[in-house]
Amino acid sequence: MSLFPDGKGDWVAHPSGYRGRSAMQRADVFDVMAAKAASNGKPAPFTREQVAAGRHYRDLVERHACAGVRCSSVEALRSGGGGSGSFIDAVLRDREEIEWIRRRIGTGTAMAVRKIRPSKRGSRVNITDRRLVDMVCLEDKPISAVLRAHEWSVQGQTVDALRQALVEVLGQVGC
């Protein structure tokens, strides 16, 4: 999206691809779930704040995981590495924020075996809040894949219960 002039001193946002073409975007799991809900005539499953919290957590973890890849080019190696430690300070800040978010997620159970009748739930494997958030945000898995991975039956009641648990956890994390 880019801002273009619209009349006298006003600006309007329009999609801006190369020579007027549509810009390509990669859809993450939140986009896929929102598109599926829209195609079924339902409202978006998550608010903008919840999606932003999930994406912020994902971006933070990915950036921290790649922190060891630094100055691998010949030019950077020759320059002596310089700097006043700002790189390592940024890595440590990211780690602290990840730990803070993970404390906010907590050690609770999103889907406890006892919450749903045995005939409806399938197997007896609990789904923790942390595992739910990591599978959806970091591994890009939809809610149905989280249920299947923990051997739960994928039905309306279980999907809704797990989606609600994810809504609550992302609401706690907030950015």
Side-chain angles (χ1 to χ4, degrees):
M1 300 292 283
S2 294
L3 292 175
F4 295 97
D6 182 38
K8 298 178 182 175
D10 201 17
W11 296 85
V12 64
H14 288 293
S16 60
Y18 176 71
R19 293 189 178 178
R21 297 183 186 125
S22 295
M24 185 188 280
Q25 296 177 349
R26 180 181 180 270
D28 65 358
V29 71
F30 294 108
D31 295 326
V32 171
M33 288 190 281
K36 186 172 181 179
S39 71
N40 292 332
K42 296 179 180 176
F46 305 102
T47 65
R48 288 183 183 181
E49 292 81 15
Q50 293 160 348
V51 172
R55 288 177 177 161
H56 176 71
Y57 175 63
R58 177 198 61 209
D59 295 344
L60 196 62
V61 170
E62 286 178 359
R63 184 173 62 227
H64 187 264
C66 295
V69 183
R70 178 177 177 249
C71 296
S72 59
S73 69
V74 175
E75 294 82 14
L77 290 174
R78 263 190 270 139
S79 68
S84 60
S86 62
F87 170 76
I88 198 66
D89 292 339
V91 171
L92 292 174
R93 274 193 308 273
D94 285 350
R95 186 185 72 190
E96 288 173 3
E97 188 172 358
I98 291 169
E99 289 172 357
W100 179 82
I101 290 172
R102 288 181 175 164
R103 281 192 305 270
R104 298 280 303 199
I105 291 170
T107 57
T109 303
M111 291 287 283
V113 172
R114 60 181 159 64
K115 287 184 179 178
I116 298 181
R117 290 185 295 170
S119 62
K120 298 281 185 185
R121 70 175 173 242
S123 171
R124 295 180 182 254
V125 179
N126 288 338
I127 303 172
T128 63
D129 292 338
R130 167 81 184 280
R131 186 66 187 133
L132 171 63
V133 171
D134 285 351
M135 284 186 78
V136 173
C137 296
L138 303 180
E139 299 173 24
D140 229 21
K141 304 281 185 196
I143 290 176
S144 58
V146 175
L147 288 168
R148 282 190 206 97
H150 291 85
E151 299 177 11
W152 284 72
S153 59
V154 181
Q155 298 176 353
Q157 181 184 10
T158 55
V159 171
D160 289 343
L162 195 58
R163 184 190 61 75
Q164 185 58 37
L166 183 59
V167 163
E168 291 171 8
V169 171
L170 291 177
Q172 290 175 356
V173 169
C175 289

